[in-house]
């Protein structure tokens, strides 16, 4: 296929991350996986505000916020949100105010969950934290908050859940190209890309970036949040919007592969396979995963190998989406 030029609607990213991130062979973890060749895409090394996948999306979203003249950003997510942490840091760097609506999504009440990890960092970055009201839709609360700020003379800009819009997904549309280019330079052919999936923008961007390519790897999102089939449609909708925005071929529903087995017992709650995957990464590679996203992502990859969806003789890229700061909200996991 030939790449069409990007549409004029696409803003220039503000430049927060250290890119490209490394793509590296992981022989120890590959042995544990027991089948395919394993490469790690280290988006835990995007650098900005301790790294993670939200940086790539926020580079585009903050470009739009700035183009609209905003001086304040608002966003909502779970208490230990990596998205909120990186949003707070981006606002600080760009001289803007951040308001975070932190929601009670996980039944954990201990001091570490409440005050350490990403919450500590949100405060360090100077964000204003608002507690989510149970029973009220977060979008309505954000809208009310934006109105109050506007009355006070601020110019607020609301960032969607996880930054997962067609614009935010451009970050992963470009990351897909980065993966293919770096793999080619290493003499590797990539058959699969596997990663933890939450609000869906990461997967949507990857799918949009790979659609229409003859050498496209299969993208497998490991859900950590939703268990309904509508999730696939929601990811596809973002991917279609992202492809249109970038002037690329449209992906199809078949391009959006989601595994739901790792969600249990629920968002923000690791299961035994999560903890085993985290320990394997730590003890074979010195690689830090987290109990909410990447631990479940790697456990999902292990399951795809065990069920034969990913075969020996194939090459898989595990996209490390970050999240390690959240580990410190779970101090007793390996006690
Ligand atoms: C947000 C997040 C994800 C999921 O990305 P989405 O684009 O929301 O699907 C995966 N891993 C980590 C560490 C995250 O913070």
């Amino acid at each position: 296929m030939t790449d069409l030029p990007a549409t004029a609607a696409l803003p220039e990213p503000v430049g927060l991350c250290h890119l490209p991130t490394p793509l590296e062979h992981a022989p120890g973890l590959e042995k544990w996986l027991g089948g395919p060749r394993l490469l790690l895409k280290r988006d835990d090394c995007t650098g900005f505000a301790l790294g993670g996948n939200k940086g790539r999306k926020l580079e585009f979203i903050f470009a739009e916020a700035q183009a609209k003249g905003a001086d304040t950003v608002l966003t909502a997510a779970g208490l230990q949100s990596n998205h909120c942490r990186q949003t707070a840091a981006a606002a600080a760097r760009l001289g803007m105010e951040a308001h975070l609506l932190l929601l009670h999504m996980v039944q954990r009440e201990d001091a570490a969950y409440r005050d350490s990890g990403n919450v500590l960092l949100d405060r360090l970055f100077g964000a204003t934290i608002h507690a989510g009201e149970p029973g009220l839709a977060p979008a309505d609360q954000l809208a009310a908050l934006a109105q109050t700020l506007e009355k006070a003379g601020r110019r607020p800009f609301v960032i969607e859940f996880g930054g997962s819009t067609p614009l935010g997904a451009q970050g992963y549309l470009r990351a897909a190209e980065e993966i293919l280019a770096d793999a080619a330079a290493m003499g590797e052919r990539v058959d699969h890309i596997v990663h933890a999936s939450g609000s869906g923008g990461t997967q949507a961007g990857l799918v949009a970036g790979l659609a229409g390519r003859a050498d496209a790897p299969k993208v497998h999102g490991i859900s950590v949040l939703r268990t309904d089939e509508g999730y696939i449609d929601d990811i596809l909708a973002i991917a279609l919007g992202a492809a249109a925005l970038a002037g690329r071929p449209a992906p199809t529903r078949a391009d959006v592969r989601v595994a739901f087995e790792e969600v249990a017992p629920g968002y923000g709650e690791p299961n035994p396979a999560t903890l085993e995957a985290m320990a394997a990464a730590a003890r074979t590679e010195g690689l830090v995963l987290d109990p909410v996203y990447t631990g479940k992502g790697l456990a999902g990859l292990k399951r795809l190998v065990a069920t034969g969806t990913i075969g020996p003789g194939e090459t898989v890229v595990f996209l490390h989406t970050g999240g390690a700061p959240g580990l410190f909200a779970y101090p007793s996991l390996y006690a």
Side-chain angles (χ1 to χ4, degrees):
M1 65 162 251
T2 50
D3 286 0
L4 298 169
T7 60
L10 206 52
E12 201 46 41
V14 293
L16 300 169
C17 300
H18 301 170
L19 301 179
T21 57
L23 181 67
E24 58 194 19
H25 183 219
L29 197 55
E30 178 179 281
K31 211 170 285 169
W32 171 79
L33 204 53
R37 181 166 175 78
L38 176 64
L39 304 177
L40 301 174
K41 177 61 171 171
R42 298 292 305 272
D43 271 15
D44 55 323
C45 302
T46 50
F48 184 65
L50 300 184
N53 67 336
K54 301 309 181 303
R56 288 189 194 259
K57 303 182 194 181
L58 292 170
E59 288 194 338
F60 284 89
I61 291 169
F62 273 84
E64 190 191 22
Q66 290 205 314
K68 291 199 163 152
D71 59 12
T72 304
V73 294
L74 297 85
T75 199
L79 184 63
Q80 282 292 339
S81 163
N82 300 300
H83 165 66
C84 286
R85 179 236 319 159
Q86 288 161 93
T87 297
R93 170 120 139 212
L94 298 169
M96 300 166 83
E97 230 175 63
H99 288 257
L100 309 176
L101 181 68
L102 297 183
L103 311 170
H104 187 78
M105 291 173 67
V106 179
Q107 301 307 313
R108 284 181 177 261
E109 319 293 345
D110 57 286
Y113 195 79
R114 215 176 45 230
D115 290 319
S116 188
N118 285 306
V119 176
L120 169 59
L121 292 163
D122 293 342
R123 293 177 180 147
L124 176 63
F125 293 131
T128 303
I129 294 177
H130 307 264
E133 294 278 347
L136 272 182
D140 294 344
Q141 286 184 76
L142 278 184
L145 198 53
Q147 226 170 41
T148 306
L149 287 163
E150 210 159 1
K151 276 191 196 129
R154 308 291 308 180
R155 292 189 301 278
F157 180 92
V158 174
I159 299 177
E160 298 291 319
F161 186 55
S164 287
T165 59
L167 181 63
Q170 299 303 313
Y172 275 91
L173 187 147
R174 296 198 183 176
E177 294 171 340
E178 196 178 292
I179 289 170
L180 290 185
D182 289 349
M186 292 163 68
E188 305 275 1
R189 195 211 121 81
V190 181
D191 301 295
H192 303 271
I193 299 174
V194 177
H195 67 93
S197 196
S199 62
T202 299
Q203 185 165 9
L206 291 172
V207 163
L210 296 170
R213 286 181 186 270
D215 61 345
K218 296 184 170 89
V219 179
H220 305 265
I222 308 299
S223 179
V224 303
L225 177 63
R226 288 177 60 176
T227 53
D228 59 299
E229 286 282 318
Y231 184 41
I232 296 170
D233 299 297
D234 290 347
I235 294 171
L236 177 61
I238 303 168
L240 286 169
L245 200 53
R248 298 298 191 80
T252 67
R253 198 173 191 277
D255 295 328
V256 183
R257 297 170 179 83
V258 179
F260 294 103
E261 290 90 345
E262 311 307 322
V263 178
Y267 174 76
E269 293 293 355
N271 60 53
T274 319
L275 298 181
E276 191 203 321
M278 288 171 66
R283 295 166 195 183
T284 61
E285 300 288 346
L287 185 74
V288 182
L289 303 183
D290 77 291
V292 182
Y293 292 98
T294 50
K296 289 189 171 182
L298 182 61
L301 167 54
K302 176 102 168 158
R303 197 186 297 270
L304 291 172
V305 171
T307 56
T309 303
I310 298 178
E314 292 195 294
T315 296
V316 58
V317 170
F318 179 66
L319 169 60
H320 189 327
T321 44
L327 179 57
F328 302 102
Y330 296 76
S332 62
L333 283 186
Y334 294 94

